[in-house]
């Protein structure tokens, strides 16, 4: 079995320790100010660069993957979303992909059952991915409370819903628990399913462990070690208002581990597969209408190629054509 | 098919358990039965590709040019700059595995490198190493690896074990289309002169003679006349199709497979009978005597060269629009590439059926209509006299060819036609048809004898679904709208479900078509009796 996940796990543990020790020996400014700023910078520059780089390459051909009936004869009902011919159709298709992971929802698993090959509908990957992404999203939004003053109304509203279960004190946020759970499930999937294990490499495990690290340290701070939230907010507001500083009396080293993990994740995004968040918008098989026969698509580099013209062809075969009674241009 | 295992042995032997070794470490990717013979110099030179001389993929040392690494690097760079798709597909895969078991070649071989995600990783690993910041710093940790001769062998092995069917792309959350990756990979191999002859010979033939099979104009005419004799024998009606006739209203183009070998020839006869019954003003062309385009499986330039004949000939002959026959990848090219590459077709008119008056607005720019669209419209307007009972001995199922399904969305038209010309039609299971259809196992130029092992394995998912309806409903005829299918299915069915035959849709149409002045038909287009005489079971 492929155990490359151990490298990633080890890397994340070591990185966590580095931050923990670093904060304890007085490098708070490094982990609390310098690295977060660098991470944001790397993220912004990297992200913008990547997207610009993608945009620089043209889309020579309209290569829509059609997943439904085309628009042809009036009396045949076209599949306007899965095989869109209009911008509206494309937008709906894209929204369904981005918000609901529609293609992933189709997932099946092949099984050889006796003499039959069967394809069973499986939603686990879709479910874990949806849980993961939405909880991640909610957690990010909730964190706005640390960077914006006064706290935006929607953050408060979200927290009310998120804390609905009213378990424990401070109240449990569903999103945090779901994030940890879903990430763990995605990880277990990779480690335990033989095919997943076979295709997974360190670069696949690393972000998962990192996110588990983020969620774990976050949950520990909130529910167990009870860090000083007021001081943390002082630090984060300082970062957000470009007046950074380390609060008097210091914050728990656990917080620096959390922040360091987040910084790593943010900086890691543009240089890794996590760029899928941008890539999906530009994927030519999904974001183009299948209207090629109605509307000409232009290829900016459409090459001039040497073709074998009719005249050259007739040169080759004129006599044979004449003998066979096939009309020719030159008698 | 000499040394192939028995079907149940092959089936039992398929194992999807991944091997111990990581795929990066598995060497010797060249497996007998799964690689095709290399392209011959004479064909490569016609298309102006590098000519490596005589060689075999089984050779230890491959005939690579001195600076092969540089050629690949620059070729890769050029393609990244030309295709956004390539960049996006290189960067966004999260290796979620959703595509892994969607490929018929993986299902049939269990070879992990046939999982679409790994197939793409073969290229992606080089991309990371050579073109990304993370790859340059983190090397292997980011999933990169060095470009070695072994990698080239692996590309050759696995980009020619992908039929560019796009089934994987239906399931990928980002729409990553491994067919596109394969196409880029094949283009890179072409730069080194590494191609397979089963593709390069048709390409070279088509360039020179106008069709893949290298059939010269006089021979084309002879074949068609021969088929017309058969039609006369069956129906009593003499058809005289015209060739290269200027001023015809419609140019009809179909793959050369349709007039080369049965069962394609029956479909071709079907087209001619339909046109005759309608009194259609059409012509065939010897110059544009190929609908298919193996250039699609070679490079975008080769595709453009071959495709250019369609518009050029339509213009020369002064027709109003083009009608296209039953073929799969032909329609991928027409729907997704032709107008862009060789348009605008402003010398043609928006296609209008001279029989029903229907204007095909869906083809208002390419000016090319699919024959099942044309026929479905005829039937809808009651323009055909049909006797579906003449197909009663057939229990029909329908195979969606990959390209019309996933690169066009031609799903209902063929079904509508079949339902009107046959009384017994049964669908295969849901996950094996329409956009989820399975490849015949021989697409994208892989329909050659020497890869029969691969073809039978890759065709297993399709064949198994046919077997299901055969056992459940007594299906004995597999209908399709693709010339490669018509060549690939007979051996595939022979192996997995020998009781099932293969037909094109217009063969079924012509069986049912009641033509004015025809004599009473006693046989179908295959000269077989219309009714199964010895069938002792009571017909339902
Ligand atoms: C918009 C459409 C998106 C889709 C369809 C999508 C889909 C996926 C899928 C299928 C996975 C793989 C899970 C696995 O097997 O490991 C994944 C992982 C991940 N995604 Fe997304 N994602 C989207 C957007 C985003 C966004 C906006 C973010 C921003 C944070 C994001 C962050 C992540 C992270 C951090 C992972 C886990 C890393 C990993 O598995 O290696 N994704 N996503
Ligand atoms: S489905 Fe798409 S993202 Fe997932 S492994 Fe396959 S190609 Fe990669
Ligand atoms: S395009 Fe088809 S043959 Fe190629 S990897 Fe995808 S599913 Fe397999």
């Amino acid at each position: 079995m492929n155990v490359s996940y151990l490298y990633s796990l080890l890397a994340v543990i070591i990185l966590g320790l580095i931050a923990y020790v670093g904060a304890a020996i007085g490098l708070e400014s490094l982990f609390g100010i310098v690295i977060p700023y660098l991470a944001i910078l790397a993220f912004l520059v990297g992200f913008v660069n990547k997207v610009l780089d993608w945009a620089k390459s043209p889309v020579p051909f309209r290569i829509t993957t059609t997943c439904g009936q085309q628009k042809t004869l009036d009396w045949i009902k076209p599949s306007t979303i899965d095989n869109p011919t209009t911008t509206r159709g494309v937008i709906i298709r894209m929204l369904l992909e981005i918000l609901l992971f529609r293609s992933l929802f189709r997932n099946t698993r092949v099984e050889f059952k006796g003499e039959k090959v069967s394809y069973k509908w499986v939603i686990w990957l879709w479910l874990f991915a949806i849980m993961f992404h939405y909880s991640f999203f909610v957690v990010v939004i909730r964190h706005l409370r640390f960077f914006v003053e006064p706290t935006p109304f929607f953050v408060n509203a979200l927290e009310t819903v998120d804390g609905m279960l009213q378990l424990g004190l401070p109240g449990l946020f569903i999103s945090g628990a779901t994030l940890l759970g879903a990430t763990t499930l995605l990880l277990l999937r990779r480690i335990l399913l033989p095919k997943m294990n076979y295709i997974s490499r360190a670069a696949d495990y690393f972000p998962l462990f990192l996110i588990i690290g983020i969620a774990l340290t976050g949950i520990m701070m909130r529910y167990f070690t009870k860090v000083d939230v007021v001081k943390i907010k002082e630090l984060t507001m300082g970062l957000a208002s470009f007046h950074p500083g380390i609060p008097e009396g210091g914050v728990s080293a656990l917080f620096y581990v959390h922040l360091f993990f987040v910084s790593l994740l943010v900086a890691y995004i543009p240089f890794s597969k996590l760029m899928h968040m941008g890539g999906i918008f530009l994927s030519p098989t999904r974001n183009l209408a299948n209207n090629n026969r109605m509307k000409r698509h232009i290829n900016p580099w459409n090459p001039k190629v040497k073709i074998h013209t009719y005249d050259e062809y007739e040169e080759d075969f004129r006599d044979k054509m004449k003998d066979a009674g096939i009309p020719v241009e030159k008698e | 098919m000499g040394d192939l295992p028995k079907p149940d042995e092959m089936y039992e032997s398929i194992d999807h358990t991944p091997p111990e070794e990581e795929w990066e470490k598995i060497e010797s990717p060249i497996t007998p039965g799964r690689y095709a013979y290399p392209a011959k110099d004479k064909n490569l030179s016609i298309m102006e590709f590098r000519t490596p001389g005589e060689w075999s993929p089984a050779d230890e040392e491959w005939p690579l040019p001195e600076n092969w690494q540089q050629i690949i690097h620059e070729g890769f760079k050029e393609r990244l700059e030309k295709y956004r798709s390539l960049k996006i597909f290189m960067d966004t895969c999260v290796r979620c595995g959703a595509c892994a078991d969607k490929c018929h070649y993986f299902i049939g071989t269990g070879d992990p490198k046939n999982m679409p995600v790994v197939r793409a990783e073969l290229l992606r690993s080089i991309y990371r190493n050579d073109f990304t910041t993370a790859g340059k710093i983190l090397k292997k940790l980011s999933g990169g690896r060095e470009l070695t001769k072994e990698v080239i062998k692996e590309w050759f092995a696995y980009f020619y074990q992908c039929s560019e069917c796009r089934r994987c792309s239906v399931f990928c959350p980002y729409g990553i289309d491994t067919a596109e990756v394969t196409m880029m990979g094949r283009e890179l191999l072409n730069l080194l002169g590494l191609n397979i002859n089963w593709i390069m010979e048709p390409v070279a033939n088509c360039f020179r003679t106008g069709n893949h099979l290298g059939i010269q104009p006089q021979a084309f005419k002879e074949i068609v006349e021969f088929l017309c004799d058969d039609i006369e024998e069956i129906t009593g009606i003499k058809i005289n199709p015209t060739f290269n006739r200027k001023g015809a209203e419609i140019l009809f183009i179909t793959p050369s497979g349709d007039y080369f070998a049965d069962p394609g020839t029956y479909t071709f006869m079907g087209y001619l009978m339909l046109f005759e019954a309608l009194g259609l003003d059409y012509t065939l062309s010897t110059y544009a005597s190929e609908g298919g385009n193996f250039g699609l499986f070679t490079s975008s330039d080769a595709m453009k060269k071959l495709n250019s004949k369609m518009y050029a000939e339509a213009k020369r002959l002064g027709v109003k629009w083009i009608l296209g026959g039953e073929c799969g990848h032909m329609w991928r090219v027409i729907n997704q590439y032709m107008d862009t590459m060789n348009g605008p077709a402003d010398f043609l008119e928006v296609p209008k059926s001279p029989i029903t008056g229907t204007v095909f607005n869906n083809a208002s720019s390419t000016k090319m209509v699919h024959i099942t669209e044309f026929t479905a419209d005829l039937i809808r307007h009651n323009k055909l006299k049909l006797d579906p009972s003449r197909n009663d001995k057939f229990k029909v199922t329908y195979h969606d060819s990959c390209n019309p399904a996933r690169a066009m969305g031609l799903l209902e038209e063929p079904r509508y036609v079949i339902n009107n010309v046959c009384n017994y039609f049964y669908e295969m299971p849901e996950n094996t048809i329409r956009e989820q259809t399975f490849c015949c196992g021989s697409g994208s130029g892989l329909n050659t004898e020497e890869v029969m092992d691969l073809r039978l394995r890759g065709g297993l998912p399709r064949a198994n679904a046919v077997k299901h309806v055969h056992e459940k409903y007594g299906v004995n005829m597999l209908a399709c709208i693709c010339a490669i299918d018509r060549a690939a299915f007979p051996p595939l069915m022979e192996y997995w479900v020998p009781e099932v035959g293969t037909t094109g849709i217009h063969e079924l149409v012509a069986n049912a078509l009641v033509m004015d002045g025809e004599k009473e038909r006693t046989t179908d287009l295959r000269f077989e009796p219309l009714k199964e005489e010895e069938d002792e079971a009571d017909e339902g």
Side-chain angles (χ1 to χ4, degrees):
Chain A
M1 193 154 110
N2 166 359
V3 289
S4 56
Y5 62 90
L6 290 178
Y7 299 113
S8 302
L9 175 62
L10 198 66
V12 171
I13 291 174
I14 292 174
L15 290 164
L17 284 175
I18 290 176
Y20 195 86
V21 174
I25 61 168
L27 294 174
E28 282 107 330
S29 314
L30 180 65
F31 287 97
I33 300 170
V34 179
I35 290 177
Y37 273 141
L38 285 179
I40 292 286
L41 193 69
F43 172 76
L44 289 177
V45 172
F47 198 96
V48 169
N49 260 338
K50 191 89 230 176
V51 173
L52 288 182
D53 180 59
W54 285 338
K56 213 163 61 194
S57 294
V59 180
F61 303 110
R62 220 187 255 135
I63 54 165
T64 322
T65 303
T66 58
C67 298
Q69 172 61 34
Q70 64 171 351
K71 182 170 159 53
T72 44
L73 300 160
D74 294 340
W75 47 273
I76 295 178
K77 195 171 167 299
S79 174
T80 52
I81 296 167
D82 285 322
N83 190 344
T85 48
T86 60
T87 310
R88 184 172 163 275
V90 171
I91 290 173
I92 297 175
R93 187 182 202 195
M94 290 303 291
L95 283 176
L96 290 174
E97 288 294 350
I98 291 162
L99 299 178
L100 295 177
F101 299 6
R102 184 139 189 262
S103 291
L104 208 53
F105 194 64
R106 294 193 181 99
N107 201 9
T108 58
R109 182 188 305 139
V110 69
E111 275 169 15
F112 281 32
K113 284 197 185 137
E115 292 201 344
K116 288 220 164 65
V117 185
S118 76
Y119 314 90
K120 204 170 76 187
W121 184 48
V122 282
I123 60 160
W124 301 115
L125 173 59
W126 176 85
L127 187 71
F128 300 164
I130 282 280
M131 281 164 56
F132 167 75
H133 287 85
Y134 275 95
S135 56
F136 193 96
F137 179 69
V138 171
V139 169
V140 170
I141 298 289
R142 275 206 284 105
H143 279 71
L144 282 181
R145 97 161 27 260
F146 293 103
F147 299 96
V148 185
E149 188 62 49
T151 304
F153 73 92
F154 59 87
V155 174
N156 286 324
L158 192 66
E159 282 186 355
T160 313
V161 179
D162 202 358
M164 220 164 46
L165 286 186
Q166 304 206 326
L167 275 177
L169 214 122
L172 176 78
F173 281 132
I174 303 166
S175 57
T178 311
L179 178 62
L180 184 61
T183 319
T184 308
L185 288 168
L186 286 173
L187 177 69
L188 288 178
R189 193 178 159 267
R190 270 193 199 282
I191 296 177
L192 298 179
L193 299 183
K195 273 198 286 272
M196 289 307 299
N197 183 281
Y198 194 72
I199 62 174
S200 298
R201 293 291 173 270
D204 301 304
Y205 295 114
F206 180 68
L208 290 169
F209 280 118
L210 203 54
I211 292 165
I212 289 175
I214 293 171
L216 272 181
T217 47
I219 287 171
M220 273 164 71
M221 283 192 291
R222 181 172 165 85
Y223 304 103
F224 301 107
T225 67
K226 308 269 163 74
V227 292
D228 188 341
V229 180
V230 177
K231 286 228 175 91
I232 290 178
K233 181 152 183 178
E234 202 182 315
L235 188 152
T236 53
M237 285 305 297
L239 287 172
S241 58
F242 294 104
H243 291 99
I246 300 297
E248 292 283 310
V251 227
S252 144
L254 197 56
F255 167 73
Y256 288 102
V257 177
H258 187 68
L259 187 61
F260 186 51
F261 280 166
V262 173
S263 304
L264 286 172
L265 182 67
V266 163
Y268 183 70
I269 290 172
F271 307 99
S272 67
K273 66 175 194 176
L274 301 188
M275 272 314 280
H276 66 274
M277 66 174 74
I280 187 170
F281 289 88
L282 295 182
S283 179
T285 59
R286 292 289 187 272
N287 73 3
L288 293 168
N290 174 41
N291 57 359
N292 299 291
R293 282 200 286 157
M294 303 167 205
K295 227 176 132 211
R296 184 156 187 252
H297 178 84
I298 304 291
N299 172 4
W301 50 263
N302 195 14
K304 256 201 117 48
V305 294
K306 179 171 158 285
I307 65 167
H308 194 64
T309 64
Y310 175 80
D311 290 339
E312 289 168 296
Y313 168 85
E314 194 182 295
E315 259 336 288
D316 287 351
F317 298 113
R318 184 170 299 116
D319 292 341
K320 289 175 176 166
M321 290 170 78
K322 274 160 63 177
D323 285 350
I326 299 169
V328 288
E329 295 279 342
K330 275 194 236 155
E331 281 302 328
Chain B
M1 289 194 236
D3 44 2
L4 287 166
K6 288 207 179 67
D8 49 338
E9 285 166 16
M10 182 183 281
Y11 185 84
E12 298 292 329
S13 74
I14 299 169
D15 183 3
H16 295 112
T17 323
E20 277 296 314
E21 261 184 321
E22 290 169 28
W23 63 261
E24 293 94 331
K25 294 193 182 135
I26 302 178
E27 282 181 17
S28 321
I30 303 297
T31 317
R34 303 202 188 155
Y35 70 84
Y37 301 143
K40 298 204 174 88
D41 281 3
K42 74 170 171 39
N43 296 319
L44 288 164
S45 60
I46 291 174
M47 300 311 290
E48 300 179 335
F49 286 114
R50 175 176 178 268
T51 50
E54 286 272 324
W55 69 287
S56 160
D59 294 344
E60 189 56 41
E61 195 57 38
W62 283 20
L64 303 183
E66 194 72 23
N67 58 341
W68 64 275
Q69 274 164 312
Q70 187 196 351
I71 294 175
I72 294 289
H73 185 83
E74 280 163 14
F76 207 151
K77 182 155 179 282
E78 180 190 336
R79 280 158 188 79
L80 287 166
E81 282 159 9
K82 281 164 119 176
Y83 293 91
R84 185 180 302 164
S85 53
L86 182 58
K87 276 187 182 165
I88 300 275
F89 297 165
M90 290 293 105
D91 281 331
T92 50
C93 172
V94 297
R95 279 173 304 285
C96 69
C99 59
D101 61 356
K102 305 304 177 285
C103 177
H104 50 287
Y105 289 123
F106 175 67
I107 294 173
T109 63
D111 183 339
K113 290 184 196 174
N114 274 329
M115 294 182 199
V117 46
V118 179
R119 197 187 311 285
E121 284 293 310
L122 302 180
L123 201 64
R124 210 177 266 126
S125 50
I126 305 304
Y127 165 78
R128 286 202 200 93
N129 195 66
D130 290 9
F131 297 100
T132 68
T133 325
K136 280 177 187 144
I137 300 166
L138 294 169
K139 294 283 172 204
K140 203 171 157 281
L141 276 181
S142 79
R145 60 174 180 164
E146 299 255 329
L147 178 63
T148 61
K149 288 187 180 173
E150 201 60 25
V151 171
I152 298 292
K153 287 188 178 178
E154 205 178 37
W155 285 1
F156 185 87
Y158 290 96
F159 294 144
Y160 288 100
Q161 284 185 57
C162 165
S163 58
E164 304 182 354
C165 77
R166 313 178 94 210
R167 189 169 192 267
C168 46
S169 98
V170 168
F171 295 89
C172 174
Y174 320 112
I176 292 175
D177 180 7
T178 308
E180 187 82 357
V181 176
T182 293
M183 286 159 84
M184 296 297 145
R186 289 187 182 185
E187 286 207 4
L188 294 178
L189 291 169
N190 273 325
L191 299 177
L192 304 177
L194 307 177
N195 202 312
I196 66 173
N197 208 47
W198 195 260
I199 292 178
M200 203 39 80
E201 184 145 318
V203 168
N205 279 339
C206 190
F207 188 71
R208 229 172 48 78
T209 63
N211 58 71
H212 288 157
L213 296 159
I215 297 167
Q216 300 192 358
Q218 75 287 0
F220 177 37
K221 185 161 181 241
E222 266 165 37
I223 293 170
V224 173
E225 282 166 355
F226 180 78
L227 296 176
C228 288
D229 290 345
D230 281 358
I231 294 174
E232 186 176 10
E233 207 176 323
I234 295 162
T235 66
I237 292 171
K238 177 83 190 137
I239 301 179
N240 289 304
T242 57
F243 298 83
N244 302 8
R245 176 166 62 90
K246 289 194 176 175
E249 182 178 356
I250 297 165
L251 169 62
F252 178 65
I253 303 178
T254 200
S256 55
D258 279 356
Y259 53 85
F260 180 69
D262 54 20
T265 44
Y266 308 125
T267 298
F268 192 84
M269 287 156 70
Y271 306 140
L272 298 186
M273 289 163 67
L274 173 70
F275 301 157
E276 179 71 16
L278 297 171
L280 203 68
D281 179 14
Y282 75 103
T283 187
L284 298 166
S285 161
T286 60
Y287 173 62
S289 48
E290 179 60 67
N293 190 330
F294 272 36
L296 172 69
F297 312 140
T298 305
S299 70
S300 76
D301 285 1
M303 163 169 59
K304 180 173 174 171
K305 286 181 191 182
L306 302 191
N307 175 262
S308 67
K309 291 182 184 169
M310 290 193 182
Y311 279 155
E313 186 68 343
K315 191 169 184 177
R316 185 181 76 87
L317 298 177
V319 301
K320 290 190 178 149
W321 55 278
I322 313 173
L323 183 60
E326 297 181 12
C327 180
H329 73 283
M330 157 180 176
W331 277 93
R332 172 150 202 218
V333 175
I334 293 166
N335 187 47
Q336 300 201 318
Y337 299 103
M338 176 159 84
D339 198 5
T340 300
M341 294 186 304
N342 289 314
D346 43 15
F347 46 89
L348 295 174
E349 292 174 14
V350 176
K352 179 173 164 185
S353 169
I355 316 298
T356 64
T358 299
V359 177
F360 292 91
N361 283 317
N362 62 313
S364 56
S365 184
T366 48
K367 320 284 200 314
M368 188 148 176
V369 173
H370 192 285
I371 185 127
T372 61
E373 295 167 352
F374 181 72
T375 305
D377 173 65
L378 292 168
I379 295 173
R380 178 78 177 184
H381 287 88
N382 271 321
K383 299 292 181 190
L384 300 181
K385 221 187 286 166
L386 297 167
D387 176 4
S389 74
R390 288 189 196 163
N391 281 318
D392 273 359
K393 70 176 171 181
F394 299 133
K395 310 277 178 289
V396 180
T397 191
Y398 174 64
H399 161 74
D400 289 273
S401 307
C402 311
N403 286 299
R406 287 186 283 263
M408 193 172 176
L410 185 87
L411 306 176
E412 293 303 336
E413 294 86 343
R415 289 179 165 78
Y416 181 80
V417 174
I418 295 175
N419 272 314
N420 277 282
V421 300
C422 298
N423 286 321
Y424 302 102
F425 173 61
Y426 307 91
E427 289 279 14
M428 284 180 273
E430 212 187 340
N431 293 116
T432 70
I433 55 169
R434 296 177 186 267
E435 75 277 5
Q436 298 199 20
T437 187
F438 275 107
C439 177
C440 59
S442 306
S444 86
L446 303 182
N447 49 330
T448 170
E449 278 295 317
E450 66 264 25
V451 292
M452 194 48 92
D453 174 69
L454 179 74
R455 292 171 56 189
L456 296 174
R457 289 169 180 277
L460 168 65
R462 169 44 74 228
N464 196 266
V466 173
K467 190 165 169 211
H468 176 78
V469 284
H470 168 68
E471 282 165 5
K472 194 160 170 195
Y473 308 110
V475 161
N476 58 9
M477 193 46 96
L478 174 58
C480 59
I481 47 166
C482 171
I484 292 184
D485 286 342
R486 284 189 285 273
F489 280 143
L492 185 72
M493 291 299 126
E494 181 62 36
Y495 188 78
W496 293 111
V497 213
E499 304 82 2
V500 178
T502 305
T503 180
I505 288 187
H506 279 76
E507 178 184 344
L508 298 173
V509 170
N511 275 336
L513 184 69
V514 182
M515 301 168 76
D516 284 343
E518 72 177 15
K519 66 177 193 193
E520 194 189 335
R521 293 212 209 160
T522 51
T523 71
D524 59 18
L525 298 195
R526 304 182 179 198
F527 288 102
E528 283 162 12
L530 278 179
K531 300 246 157 34
E532 215 96 56
E533 276 149 66
E534 291 131 303
D535 208 344
E536 62 247 74
D538 284 351
E539 289 295 329

